[in-house]
Every structure is written in structure tokens, then in C-alpha cells.
Amino acid sequence: MRQDAFYAGLRQNLDELRAQGLYKQERVLASRQGSTVVCDDGRRLINLCANNYLGLSGDAFLDGAAREAIERYGYGLSSVRFICGTQTPHKQLERAIADFLGMEDAILYAAAFDANAGVFEPLFGEYDAIISDELNHASIIDGIRLSKAARYRYANNDMLDLEMRLAETGHKQHRLIVTDGVFSMDGTIARLDKICELAEQFGALVMIDDSHATGFMGATGRGTHEHHGVMGRVDIITGTLGKALGGAMGGFVAARREVVDTLRQKSRPYLFSNSLAPVIAGASLAVLERLSSSTELRDRLHANTAYFRRAIGELGFTVKPGTHPVVAVMLFDAPLAQRFARRLYDLGVLVSGFFYPVVPLGEARVRVQLSAAHTREQLDAALAAFGEAGRELGLLGR
Ligand SMILES: *Cc1c(COP(=O)(O)O)cnc(C)c1O
């Protein structure tokens, strides 16, 4: 039967993934998310691989805010926003996101993936150009594909290449430069000050996806635009509620009022998908209130990051330089990175190994992500494990 060939084809593709070592196994946690987690084999490990930058994921602080929201507004809405799916906390959260980021208005989505999938098509048409960093997140790439605008790419964070793309697109009606605020594989920060300069020089718009920055980059945690001193000069900011801001799910676009209004009228993932659960809207509101009143979590995260970055360098590891809580510890060789991550697991430390095709060939690494929730003791124990595994595998002097 023809269907048999279909299923056999899938099985063969899956087998090939396994043979190439590219098959992704899901790790099952038997505990909350946090600075340590219990795996389903019952072992408690120090967790260095969640996007839990501010330590709010799994924190009891949010249980209370979530309980309050659920008691008042219930569990679900069974409606899109514009029919009967907008409650007070949705409007309050949109206002709070816009204020936190220093933007006019904001609109919620079920995920940042949806925000990026829905932001380009209503705003940019066949006479326009979108100029995108080559390392931008998959959701940006997919979102751009859904629009009729001409597509251009520039080399990662390469301002000369970006300038060339701007120079060659002068005939287009509107131009948008789009970049991740922070590139999550390397922890490198987009050169947003220079990007804004070029945008002004060439009359282009600027969009950032600040999923790995909102809540903790910049002096008061507003994001990459605050970090680079360009608040008020970025046209569109997309981001997630699923990382630093509590870690449940949800995304947003923040921009000028006419942009957000247009998205409310025309953005397909917004119009044709259910409202964010009220429990998430209410709890996210509590997160933004807390982050607006104190930089304590952000400060603790950066202190942990500086501590870990200095110590891992002193141990003798090669890391991608920077200041972001994503720390790429370079092993270069894919099997070595896998063995290293496995040995760290045995020593009680959870990190993820990345190798080609997720990162360029010859740039295999383990990625460490720091959190405000990590204690000094946990970081010291993790660093001791890095030292031990590194010496065992011959990566460090003895
Ligand atoms: C994680 C991430 C997303 C997706 O966020 P979700 O809210 O989980 O869909 C989008 N863009 C970037 C840059 C991300 O890192």
C-alpha cells in the first residue's frame, strides 16, 4: 500500500537522525524548574541549561500571583481576543509591557514564535525590503517568508555587510532591519547602537527580537536597547514571556500605536488563535511590577554571570567573550562536546552540548546559562565539576 511507503520513509529518516547522532531525546524532569532539578532517574542536578535568567520559573512567588489570577478570572477563555477573549489583565499586561520597554503600545501572542510569524506580513509588502541577520531565530525567518517583501541577509553582526545591503536596497519603499537582540548560541549582543545609526542614515526601520534580553539586559533590565543606550530609537520589539519573565509561555510585539493597531486588525496568529490564558496574563503582570520596582534579580544574575565567566576562564577553558549570562564553553569537536556534557551529568551538572548543524562545523560547545537563582555554592560545585571533567578529558593541564 502507498501509505506503507509513507510511514517507512519516516522511519528511515528517523533512523538516519539516530545514526548521525542528531536525534533529540527529551529530558524528563520530576521536579519544578529551578537552579537545581530532579531528573526522572531521581538524581538532583545543578541546572545550567534553562532560559530561567531571573530565576522566576518554578519560583513560589509566581504561584501566588497565578493563584490570584485564576481565582478571579478562571482557567481559560475559549475565544480569540476580539470576540470574547479579552479580560482586564490582558489589557493591563499590554500596557505594562509597553511601559517597561519604553514603547507606545504592545500586543500579546500565544508565543514569541507567533509574534514573529505574525509581525511582518501585515506591515511590509512587495515594494518593501526586510534585511535580516543571518543568525536570526527560526521564527523570524519563517515570519519573513510569510510576507511579500524582498528578503536580504547580512553576515552575523557585520555592520559593513549590513551597510552594503542598505546601499543596494535604496529603491525600495520601506526597509526594515531585523535582528535578535542577543544571539543565544554565542551570548553575543547585537551591535544595536551601530544598527540604529545606519538605520537613521539610510532611512530604515529597526526591529529586535529581545527574547534573550527582556527583563535583564541594560541597567534596569529593559533589554538590548537599554544596554546600548538606544531606547526610543527601535521601531519594533518582539519578545517572550517564556524565558526570563516567568517562563510559562506567551509572546508580544511592542511598537508605535499604529503598528500595534494594524497587527490587531490583520496579524493572523493573533486573529485566528486563542487568547493567552488569564493565569499567564495575571502572573506576567506581577513579574513586570516586581522588575519595575527593583533591579535585585537582574543584579544578582549579572553578579553570577561575572563570577562564572571569570572562574571558568581561570580554569583554562576557552569561552566566547562577553557579558551575557549565556556562556559558550568551546570544545570545538562534536564527540568531545557530547562526552564532556555526559561526564558533567554524571558529576551532577546539567548542561547542553551543541554541535553542527546547530552551530558552525568545528565550533562544538557546551552552553551554560546562568540564573539569578544560582547560589555561590551551586556555581562553585558546577565549576569544580567542569575542572574535573576537563582534566579527565585532557582539556586542561593537570
Ligand atoms: C525562544 C525564542 C523565541 C520563541 O519564544 P517562544 O515564546 O517560546 O515561542 C523566539 N525568538 C527568539 C530569539 C528566542 O530565543
Side-chain angles (χ1 to χ4, degrees), residues 6-232:
F6 171 76
Y7 294 112
L10 293 186
R11 282 197 302 275
Q12 190 186 336
N13 289 343
L14 289 165
D15 288 343
E16 279 165 18
L17 283 180
R18 280 191 200 91
Q20 293 163 353
L22 299 177
Y23 186 87
K24 290 179 275 300
Q25 287 286 358
E26 295 182 359
R27 197 187 315 283
V28 180
L29 304 183
S31 70
R32 287 176 176 246
Q33 185 61 277
S35 59
T36 65
V37 287
V38 178
C39 289
D40 61 351
D41 59 8
R43 293 180 58 221
R44 185 171 282 282
L45 291 102
I46 298 168
N47 183 8
L48 297 179
C49 58
N51 302 309
N52 189 14
Y53 298 112
L54 295 174
L56 291 168
S57 240
D59 191 291
F61 162 70
L62 281 181
D63 296 6
R67 226 174 267 123
E68 251 174 64
I70 219 166
E71 269 164 28
R72 181 123 183 232
Y73 296 102
Y75 171 70
L77 277 163
S78 300
S79 171
V80 296
R81 285 286 300 276
F82 74 95
I83 296 182
C84 57
T86 298
Q87 292 169 311
T88 314
H90 295 95
K91 298 311 280 183
Q92 289 171 328
L93 179 58
E94 286 171 339
R95 187 70 255 140
I97 289 170
D99 290 344
F100 187 77
L101 299 177
M103 306 295 275
E104 262 183 27
D105 203 355
I107 173 174
L108 297 172
Y109 286 81
F113 201 108
D114 288 327
N116 286 330
V119 70
F120 300 102
E121 186 264 339
L123 300 174
F124 299 96
E126 56 182 318
Y127 303 110
D128 305 322
I130 298 172
I131 306 172
S132 174
D133 189 290
E134 66 176 349
L135 289 192
N136 277 344
H137 191 264
S139 55
I140 295 179
I141 295 167
D142 287 6
I144 293 172
R145 280 202 192 117
L146 294 171
S147 87
K148 294 203 168 61
R151 307 196 282 261
Y152 294 83
R153 270 198 332 183
Y154 63 96
N156 178 229
N157 234 352
D158 183 334
M159 296 299 109
L160 270 177
D161 205 34
L162 171 59
E163 188 169 350
M164 273 167 26
R165 298 293 91 74
L166 285 163
E168 77 188 63
T169 51
H171 59 291
K172 292 292 180 184
Q173 188 172 31
H174 307 297
R175 288 177 288 169
L176 174 74
I177 305 166
V178 54
T179 181
D180 282 14
V182 171
F183 298 92
S184 63
M185 285 297 142
D186 301 316
T188 52
I189 304 167
R191 296 167 68 183
L192 197 55
D193 46 348
K194 185 69 188 158
I195 290 172
C196 286
E197 252 174 54
L198 285 172
E200 280 148 29
Q201 184 187 333
F202 284 88
L205 297 151
V206 175
M207 169 177 150
I208 59 173
D209 174 347
D210 238 4
S211 292
H212 287 276
T214 305
F216 60 93
M217 292 305 286
T220 62
R222 309 302 154 125
T224 307
H225 57 327
E226 184 184 32
H227 174 87
H228 273 306
V230 293
M231 284 185 82

